[in-house]
Amino acid sequence: MRGKNFTEEERDAIRILFEQGYTVRRIAKLINRGKSGVQGQIDRMRADGSIKQTVMNLGQFDEQG
């Protein structure tokens, strides 16, 4: 059973998907969470400014070759 708190991976997914313009409903479906829970998390992330934090793309350091 999943807890009510969001994991860091879920918050990262929310940041990425929200930045790409996905709706709250679509984000909730993709991370298998409720719409109201995702909206609440987005609201909390907006309040503390973390919604605008960038998520590191681990592929960005791949060798160009």
Side-chain angles (χ1 to χ4, degrees):
M1 182 174 175
R2 182 177 62 237
K4 76 176 196 173
N5 295 326
F6 283 74
T7 65
E8 192 59 38
E9 290 81 18
E10 289 172 321
R11 286 190 287 275
D12 288 344
I14 290 171
R15 281 186 199 98
I16 291 167
L17 296 170
F18 188 76
E19 181 181 327
Q20 292 178 354
Y22 282 73
T23 64
V24 173
R25 177 177 286 152
R26 185 71 178 141
I27 294 170
K29 186 173 179 96
L30 289 170
I31 66 171
N32 197 27
R33 289 289 194 148
K35 183 181 162 222
S36 63
V38 170
Q39 183 62 61
Q41 184 63 41
I42 289 171
D43 292 343
R44 285 187 292 280
M45 291 167 73
R46 278 183 177 152
D48 69 11
S50 66
I51 194 73
K52 297 203 184 268
Q53 288 178 341
T54 58
V55 179
M56 187 163 101
N57 177 2
L58 297 177
Q60 69 189 5
F61 297 112
D62 290 347
E63 290 182 16
Q64 302 287 326

